[in-house]
Amino acid sequence: MLVVEDVSSLRVKLDEIPPETTVGFVPTMGGLHAGHLALVDASVAGCDKTVVSIFVNPAQFAPGEDLAAYPRTLDADLSHLRAAGVDMVFTPPPAAVYPSDFCTYVTSAVGDAATNAASEGASRPTFFRGVATVVAKLLVLVRPTCTYFGRKDAQQCAVVRRMVEDLWIGLTTRVVLVDTVREQDGLAMSSRNVYLAPQEREHASVLYRALCAGREAVDGGERDSDVVRERIRRIVAEWEATSKPPGVSFELMYVSICSADDMREVKGNIREDSGEVLACIAALMGKARLIDNVLLL
Ligand code: AMP
């Protein structure tokens, strides 16, 4: 497995790959867990060569967020990737991605504050500018046949899919979405779960339980989005009232029933003919900001 820090060396190595070879690309911020490795496995299974990037992207962290504290576990990450059969790992230093005169960013209106007040875009106003910019740069650099993203980050999937289409990157690269990998109790795996104190970790699966209750309502025939939203909120509120330990700080940030394509909030009834519909949730538990979603229809 080749580990490359330098942009032009990576391009030289990629250019040595014969043109008929398919290349899968998995962008990550490291701190790798089984969720990331599911993307890697999908790429290794689906493409001839697999390239992974590990880059903690400063542009997607707002001032005061956890850029400095973000888990960095490069040695362990590389041994996981080696074992998974990855061919190349790109680990650029920040200055290689954002030189001092860098001034061009990609922005997306998908799920921004103007289109959905209960979204990641609304909660973290500059986040998707950072994500879209680094993903665009990496896709232009690697020019993969397929690129793999986790459904865990629903708005990221929507932003990337739309960006790839809008910027014609999709003419050469297909975006493949991979299902969320969960801990045994249902908590979605995330690099940030290491921030959870033991008592918080014990209770963090309440978000998934609440989402599942919403999905059960839809499975049972419920179509009123207000009822489904309320059902999800009620599970969280009941947990807060009856089970939350006093030492666990918790704030529900949003519950959203929205279209997976454009992240617009569903008003009124959930329609069966309007593409995938998601229930999304975000909450602060202790120091960890947790997000999750499930497919409703
Ligand atoms: P990150 O390192 O957090 O930027 O994530 C890199 C990629 O892994 C993104 O496409 C994420 O959506 C995906 N990912 C993170 N956690 C999971 C998970 N639990 N299941 C599936 N994919 C995930």
Side-chain angles (χ1 to χ4, degrees):
M1 184 175 81
L2 201 72
V3 181
V4 189
E5 279 193 22
D6 175 64
V7 174
S8 38
S9 310
L10 179 75
R11 212 35 265 169
V12 167
K13 289 294 171 192
L14 289 166
D15 286 337
E16 288 171 7
I17 297 175
E20 64 279 8
T21 306
T22 56
V23 174
F25 175 54
V26 183
T28 81
M29 297 210 299
L32 300 186
H33 51 68
H36 297 108
L37 297 175
L39 273 59
V40 170
D41 289 346
S43 175
V44 170
C47 297
D48 301 323
K49 299 271 181 203
T50 290
V51 181
V52 174
S53 63
I54 297 178
F55 179 61
V56 182
N57 176 29
Q60 70 191 66
F61 289 78
E65 285 188 350
D66 56 341
L67 174 62
Y70 196 84
R72 287 164 171 87
T73 56
L74 186 61
D75 290 344
D77 292 352
L78 293 178
S79 45
H80 288 310
L81 296 177
R82 207 169 280 119
V86 168
D87 299 278
M88 289 184 206
V89 183
F90 180 48
T91 58
V97 182
Y98 301 110
S100 58
D101 58 349
F102 186 84
C103 60
T104 306
Y105 290 87
V106 179
T107 61
S108 172
V110 171
D112 67 2
T115 50
N116 190 339
S119 70
E120 282 302 285
S123 299
R124 304 176 74 188
T126 56
F127 176 67
F128 286 106
R129 181 177 97 136
V131 170
T133 300
V134 80
V135 172
K137 287 189 63 131
L138 291 167
L139 292 178
V140 166
L141 174 67
V142 178
R143 297 172 222 155
T145 320
C146 292
T147 182
Y148 295 80
F149 285 84
R151 288 187 190 268
K152 149 135 199 301
D153 299 289
Q155 188 168 343
Q156 176 164 281
C157 292
V159 165
V160 168
R161 283 206 289 187
R162 187 54 192 267
M163 176 187 79
V164 159
E165 194 182 317
D166 285 351
L167 300 186
W168 290 344
I169 296 170
L171 295 175
T172 50
T173 297
R174 190 162 67 87
V175 178
V176 181
L177 304 186
V178 176
D179 286 345
T180 303
V181 178
R182 300 180 178 282
E183 303 285 359
Q184 261 189 348
D185 66 351
L187 174 67
M189 288 192 179
S190 163
S191 310
R192 289 192 164 100
N193 290 352
V194 298
Y195 300 154
L196 292 167
Q199 213 179 23
E200 293 161 355
R201 169 64 194 85
E202 214 178 287
H203 285 264
S205 62
V206 63
L207 299 187
Y208 182 58
R209 279 206 309 282
L211 291 173
C212 288
R215 186 170 56 196
E216 274 160 31
V218 172
D219 287 348
E222 183 58 63
R223 289 295 177 271
D224 185 334
S225 65
D226 289 334
V227 173
V228 178
R229 227 174 262 113
E230 203 33 54
R231 175 104 184 92
I232 295 169
R233 285 184 170 280
R234 203 173 63 228
I235 301 291
V236 176
E238 279 169 9
W239 165 78
E240 276 195 277
T242 62
S243 312
K244 186 180 86 60
V248 169
S249 74
F250 180 84
E251 186 192 341
L252 182 62
M253 309 201 74
Y254 61 77
V255 172
S256 167
I257 309 295
C258 63
S259 149
D261 278 344
D262 60 13
M263 303 307 287
R264 282 185 192 277
E265 195 68 19
V266 173
K267 305 260 160 60
N269 274 5
I270 301 168
R271 292 174 39 168
E272 321 222 342
D273 60 351
S274 53
E276 289 184 344
V277 176
L278 302 173
C280 302
I281 195 164
L284 272 177
M285 191 171 247
K287 288 202 198 68
R289 189 171 181 288
L290 304 174
I291 62 169
D292 201 352
N293 71 88
V294 297
L295 191 62
L296 292 177
L297 265 183

